[in-house]
Amino acid sequence: MSKLGSLGARLHRGEISYDFVGKRKIWYGVSILITITAILGLAVRGLNMSIDFQGGAVFTTPNHMSTSVAQAETYAKDASGHQAVVQKLGNGSLRIQIAGVDTAKSDQIKQTLAKDLNLNPEKLAADLVGPSWGQQIANKAWEGLAIFMVLVVIYLAIAFEWRMAVAALVALIHDITITTGIYALVGFEVSPGTIIGLLTILGYSLYDTVVVFDSLKEQTRDITKQTRFTYSEIANRSINGTLVRSINTTVVALLPVAGLLFIGGGFLGAGDLNDISLSLFVGLAAGAYSSIFIATPLVADLKEREPAMKALTKRVMAKRAQAASEDGVAVGDDVEDAAPAVVGPRNQPVSRGRGRGRQAGKRR
């Protein structure tokens, strides 16, 4: 078995663990800091909406243009009076986007651009996007996001409980805010591909969260009938038990997305790949983080407020205090009762069983 597989098995059995829930205030603080940074980025820089949402014109040059991106941006700005977005595609052609222009102005810009670029106007492809179409896309995207959120809350409230539904909703909002904030800070365009990427990572983040919630639900069944662990401790064991699985699935998902972002978008200059791959890359990482550090610790916080969980915590602490105050023999006798019985294998009293067997043999 590999070292990672051995580590995962030991985490699942409860032999080792990291106190994610106990240190939740640290993770909350980190998340709040990242979220504030993202919100400031949105407020100061705003989102760079593509012409699919604003309306405008897109001009595409022939292959293997010698004109640089900076030169093309200058030509486009002089010809239109608007800020232009220029991307160099993998085949050497230039994609020039100018927002906020109508059909009549588009024809004029095309003629001027062709002259500046030393091209025949017929070789400069032009596409016009109306603002009403872009507005329809934006409205549909918001509607889809709202419907998704409502369905998520309903499903989790039915399948698990309302506290888990609230925690999952907070984690999803956390992921959306961070992803959109990074888009604002980086300056990448928000296109329909970005919306597709956002909806995709929300589904992935939810899947990762549900895996932990399912483990937590199973392990906390009849929790008040035992006095070994508090709810927070069992929640922490649930995170540790699924930790390696979460890491593996996240890394496997991030590798091809990183290829799209850094190779397809960075080296090949495929603008559409940048739009969708950045949202996927940031969203997948944020989703894995929120599932481990936000969703489950938040559920533990909400559950620990219940009177039944408060009473359980008092009983667990009282039993541990009693065991600690007793003499060495009594404490040793209580080791079996204090062993992790909810998750992982029980500690078997081997020495006692062998002792009874030897005594039985003597009686015979």
Side-chain angles (χ1 to χ4, degrees):
M1 183 182 293
S2 65
K3 291 184 179 180
L4 186 59
S6 176
L7 175 63
R10 294 178 66 192
L11 285 167
H12 183 72
R13 291 193 298 266
E15 296 174 4
I16 58 174
S17 65
Y18 181 81
D19 194 5
F20 292 101
V21 176
K23 297 180 179 180
R24 56 187 176 270
K25 290 184 179 179
I26 297 176
W27 318 131
Y28 292 166
V30 171
S31 295
I32 290 172
L33 180 62
I34 296 174
T35 303
I36 290 174
T37 303
I39 293 173
L40 287 176
L42 286 168
V44 175
R45 299 196 59 176
L47 290 173
N48 181 19
M49 307 299 290
S50 71
I51 64 169
D52 296 303
F53 296 104
Q54 300 183 68
V58 180
F59 303 96
T60 306
T61 67
N63 299 346
H64 309 296
M65 288 290 297
S66 60
T67 306
S68 68
V69 171
Q71 285 177 322
E73 287 177 347
T74 302
Y75 293 154
K77 184 176 181 180
D78 293 340
S80 64
H82 296 269
Q83 194 68 36
V85 177
V86 180
Q87 295 173 323
K88 193 152 193 173
L89 305 183
N91 57 8
S93 63
L94 296 175
R95 185 170 183 260
I96 305 169
Q97 300 180 69
I98 305 173
V101 297
D102 54 21
T103 304
K105 195 168 184 178
S106 172
D107 294 336
Q108 180 184 349
I109 294 171
K110 179 179 177 179
Q111 296 296 325
T112 307
L113 265 179
K115 182 180 178 181
D116 292 336
L117 296 170
N118 295 320
L119 290 174
N120 185 336
E122 297 299 325
K123 293 184 178 181
L124 186 62
D127 294 309
L128 193 65
V129 180
S132 60
W133 187 77
Q135 188 63 38
Q136 288 178 357
I137 292 179
N139 291 338
K140 292 296 182 182
W142 284 113
E143 288 176 8
L145 183 60
I147 292 172
F148 175 83
M149 292 292 193
V150 171
L151 291 178
V152 163
V153 171
I154 293 174
Y155 166 74
L156 290 178
I158 295 174
F160 298 99
E161 59 173 299
W162 69 265
R163 294 168 188 82
M164 291 184 177
V166 170
L169 182 61
V170 170
L172 290 177
I173 295 173
H174 167 273
D175 298 342
I176 294 174
T177 305
I178 290 178
T179 305
T180 53
I182 289 180
Y183 257 85
L185 293 171
V186 173
F188 274 24
E189 277 192 332
V190 177
S191 67
T194 306
I195 305 302
I196 294 171
L198 270 177
L199 293 176
T200 302
I201 61 101
L202 290 181
Y204 180 89
S205 175
L206 181 63
Y207 163 78
D208 219 17
T209 302
V210 168
V211 168
V212 183
F213 283 178
D214 188 59
S215 173
L216 180 58
K217 178 183 177 182
E218 180 67 24
Q219 294 172 30
T220 54
R221 185 176 288 115
D222 299 327
I223 184 176
T224 56
K225 295 181 180 179
Q226 55 84 47
T227 55
R228 296 183 181 93
F229 303 105
T230 65
Y231 188 94
S232 292
E233 291 169 345
I234 297 178
N236 191 67
R237 293 174 68 87
S238 297
I239 299 175
N240 281 276
T242 58
L243 181 61
V244 172
R245 175 180 178 177
S246 297
I247 293 174
N248 284 338
T249 53
T250 301
V251 170
V252 169
L254 282 176
L255 286 176
V257 174
L260 284 175
L261 179 61
F262 298 111
I263 298 177
F267 294 116
L268 300 181
D272 291 338
L273 290 180
N274 282 338
D275 298 338
I276 190 170
S277 58
L278 180 64
S279 62
L280 286 174
F281 188 84
V282 176
L284 288 173
Y289 173 85
S290 65
S291 299
I292 297 171
F293 296 97
I294 302 298
T296 307
L298 185 56
V299 169
D301 263 338
L302 295 174
K303 288 291 291 186
E304 291 287 3
R305 299 173 187 272
E306 293 183 359
M309 295 302 112
K310 289 181 179 179
L312 173 64
T313 300
K314 289 182 180 179
R315 293 199 302 271
V316 171
M317 295 299 108
K319 185 172 182 179
R320 291 177 184 174
Q322 180 182 1
S325 65
E326 293 176 354
D327 58 24
V329 176
V331 171
D333 289 341
D334 197 55
V335 170
E336 178 188 354
D337 195 21
V342 180
V343 186
R346 297 171 184 261
N347 291 342
Q348 301 296 334
V350 178
S351 59
R352 293 182 186 177
R354 289 176 180 174
R356 286 195 296 268
R358 286 195 296 267
Q359 292 174 3
K362 290 180 181 179
R363 284 198 295 272
R364 291 193 188 94

